[in-house]
């Protein structure tokens, strides 16, 4: 398969058991090793990690034990010919993160969040990844009076600065999301994430990860979110997927809901040479009805769809487009794009 210089990644959570808030699992769990064996078969190059995907039960381990366990995972990656793209501290499941992590109202809980994040940095170092992704899952509120937004923003900045100081080579990519699990998140969009990063002590080491579904949930266009971040050289990773309107986070296969919206994400990424900057992550989940033995199709289909869209981007009749833009004939430009997407000329 021609990959046009792109590399692809997903996280172990993207092969999952199909539980939802209203029903139990529908597919058996697969071990980490078993999932790892799927990556190359599906055409992928790199693994995205939560800290505890790499080192389970890390809260019960010493820093030395954590590093040792992470080194063993590095060996498995090497054996499978895979890279680690990033490590993300999982700051949303522990009892100490019920009311938020860096923005919790409880100082002990905030200390836990920082300590846990430092352990995630240690794991990233052992896995050979210089990137940490911060999905700020519970940094927000169910009711606004519960926290002080100015203080919360300062706390987020302090946490980022603490991590930048902890490892002078670390880069941080903030993954914004407007809601879920919180009703109202503090860093809902690319603009918020970038603004926070630019205020950090070393802004050159803070960038963003754009997830399509999150942009759509915020009522924004993912390709514009991509382009806005790329204009500042700040798009360091993506979570491409799809989303049927502003409801719960669906993580549908890339392009499965809105082909043209996906085409434009591929277009802005490709026209700005994303393959030279980052790895294409696919944060997709199989729908719950999918039988266990077929529950990796969403990954390979998303990857192949991205590459097909890159081909469509590159085969666009640029000259015809320029002429239509110059004539301000956007109806005909619309017709050209729609026909191109349908394989018609
Ligand atoms: C959930 C997020 C989640 C993160 C992952 C990495 O909505 O998209 O999947 O991307 O935990 O931090
Ligand atoms: Mg994501």
């Amino acid at each position: 398969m021609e990959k046009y210089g792109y590399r692809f990644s997903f996280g172990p959570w993207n092969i999952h058991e199909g539980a939802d808030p209203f029903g139990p699992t529908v597919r058996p769990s697969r071990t980490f090793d078993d999932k790892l064996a799927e990556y190359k078969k599906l055409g992928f190059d790199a693994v995205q990690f939560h800290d505890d995907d790499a080192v389970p039960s890390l809260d019960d381990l010493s820093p030395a034990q954590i590093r040792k366990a992470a080194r063993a995972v590095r060996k498995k990656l090497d054996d499978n010919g895979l890279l680690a793209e990033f490590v993300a501290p999982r700051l949303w499941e522990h009892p100490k993160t019920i009311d938020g992590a860096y923005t919790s109202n409880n100082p002990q809980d905030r200390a836990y969040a920082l300590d846990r994040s430092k352990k995630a940095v240690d794991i990233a170092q052992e896995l050979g990844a210089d990137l940490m992704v911060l999905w700020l899952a519970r940094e927000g509120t169910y009711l606004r009076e519960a926290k002080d937004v100015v203080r919360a923003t300062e706390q987020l900045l302090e946490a980022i600065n603490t991590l930048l100081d902890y490892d002078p080579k670390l880069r941080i990519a903030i993954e914004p999301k407007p809601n879920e699990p919180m009703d109202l998140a503090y860093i809902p969009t690319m603009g918020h994430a970038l603004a926070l990063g630019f205020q950090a002590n070393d802004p050159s080491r803070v960038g963003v990860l754009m997830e399509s579904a999150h942009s759509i949930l915020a009522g924004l266009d993912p390709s514009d979110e991509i382009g806005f971040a790329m204009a500042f050289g700040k798009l360091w990773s993506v979570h491409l997927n799809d989303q049927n309107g502003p409801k719960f986070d669906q993580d549908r296969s890339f392009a499965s809901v809105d082909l043209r919206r996906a085409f434009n994400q591929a277009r802005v990424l490709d026209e700005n040479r994303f393959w030279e900057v980052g790895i294409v992550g696919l944060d997709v989940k199989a729908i719950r009805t999918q039988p266990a033995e077929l529950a990796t199709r969403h990954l390979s289909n998303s990857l192949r769809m991205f590459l097909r869209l890159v081909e469509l981007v590159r085969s666009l009749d640029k000259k015809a487009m320029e002429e239509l833009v110059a004539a301000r004939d956007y109806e005909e430009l619309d017709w050209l794009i729609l026909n191109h997407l349908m394989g018609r000329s």
Side-chain angles (χ1 to χ4, degrees):
M1 189 178 7
E2 171 61 63
K3 287 165 82 177
Y4 305 104
Y6 283 101
R7 291 172 301 159
F8 294 88
S9 63
F10 68 88
W13 63 90
N14 295 117
I15 299 179
H16 77 126
E17 296 83 359
D20 70 16
F22 305 98
T25 60
V26 290
R27 294 181 285 263
S29 291
R30 298 181 63 175
T31 63
F32 176 71
D33 291 5
D34 188 26
K35 291 179 183 180
L36 216 52
E38 290 282 357
Y39 275 75
K40 284 276 160 178
K41 284 193 255 167
L42 296 167
F44 286 78
D45 311 279
V47 182
Q48 305 180 339
F49 286 94
H50 295 129
D51 48 9
D52 59 358
D53 293 325
V55 182
S57 311
L58 77 167
D59 285 316
D60 305 329
L61 302 178
S62 70
Q65 288 171 319
I66 290 173
R67 282 189 180 272
K68 185 165 174 234
R71 278 198 292 278
V73 177
R74 173 74 177 271
K75 166 98 180 35
K76 287 183 191 179
L77 290 176
D78 292 345
D79 291 347
N80 283 277
L82 294 166
L83 291 170
E85 185 196 358
F86 66 69
V87 176
R90 198 195 291 276
L91 295 173
W92 53 92
E93 286 186 357
H94 194 274
K96 285 188 172 298
T97 58
I98 288 173
D99 193 26
Y102 309 134
T103 68
S104 169
N105 283 325
N106 178 320
Q108 277 105 38
D109 292 354
R110 292 202 299 276
Y112 165 81
L114 279 178
D115 187 53
R116 169 99 184 213
S117 306
K118 288 178 184 169
K119 289 177 176 171
V121 175
D122 295 348
I123 294 171
Q125 287 173 354
E126 296 296 344
L127 295 181
D130 72 346
L131 188 63
M132 162 163 282
V133 165
L134 291 182
W135 171 45
L136 301 165
R138 296 198 188 274
E139 314 298 7
T141 58
Y142 301 106
L143 56 152
R144 273 315 190 213
E145 298 83 0
K147 289 184 188 174
D148 173 338
V149 59
V150 173
R151 181 74 193 115
T153 307
E154 287 163 2
Q155 284 165 334
L156 290 172
L157 195 55
E158 282 161 22
I160 288 167
N161 286 335
T162 303
L163 296 174
L164 292 174
D165 284 348
Y166 182 69
D167 176 352
K169 293 217 175 79
L170 183 74
R171 297 181 304 138
I172 294 176
I174 302 169
E175 178 180 348
K177 182 176 182 184
N179 60 284
E180 212 193 23
M182 305 314 292
D183 180 23
L184 296 154
Y186 283 130
I187 305 296
T189 70
M190 208 57 58
H192 292 80
L194 286 167
L196 197 65
F198 283 126
Q199 285 297 108
N201 287 346
D202 184 356
S204 71
R205 290 193 285 131
V206 188
V208 290
L209 177 154
M210 189 294 314
E211 172 157 334
S212 324
H214 300 182
S215 299
I216 297 161
L217 285 169
L220 298 170
D221 179 72
S223 64
D224 277 354
E225 292 269 273
I226 288 171
F228 188 67
M230 289 192 94
F232 301 110
K234 288 295 189 188
L235 189 74
W236 297 344
S237 189
V238 288
H239 271 172
L240 300 184
N241 54 21
D242 215 346
Q243 171 73 25
N244 192 17
K247 31 186 150 180
F248 64 96
D249 186 8
Q250 298 181 316
D251 294 339
R252 293 287 309 278
S253 291
F254 182 54
S256 63
V257 177
D258 188 330
L259 187 62
R260 188 171 185 176
R261 186 168 59 193
F263 165 76
N264 277 308
Q265 291 171 71
R267 186 176 61 78
V268 177
L269 287 168
D270 200 57
E271 288 177 352
N272 293 286
R273 307 176 74 84
F274 182 73
W275 69 89
E276 291 177 352
V277 206
I279 299 180
V280 176
L282 292 158
D283 198 0
V284 290
K285 293 218 175 76
I287 45 185
R288 194 164 186 265
T289 45
Q290 192 73 350
E293 63 281 11
L294 302 174
T296 52
R297 286 278 169 85
H298 59 302
L299 290 157
S300 48
N301 288 349
S302 294
L303 183 156
R304 287 191 304 164
M305 188 52 69
F306 177 80
L307 291 170
R308 286 190 181 181
L309 289 172
V310 166
E311 283 166 9
L312 281 180
V313 169
R314 295 187 182 189
S315 61
L316 275 170
D317 185 345
K318 299 269 163 49
K319 189 161 170 292
M321 286 174 68
E322 277 165 26
E323 284 168 9
L324 292 170
V325 168
R328 216 178 66 204
D329 190 352
Y330 298 156
E331 292 292 354
E332 198 59 24
L333 179 61
D334 209 17
W335 180 249
L336 182 152
I337 298 291
L338 289 171
N339 278 292
H340 194 65
L341 289 176
M342 292 191 297
R344 305 276 294 264
S345 50

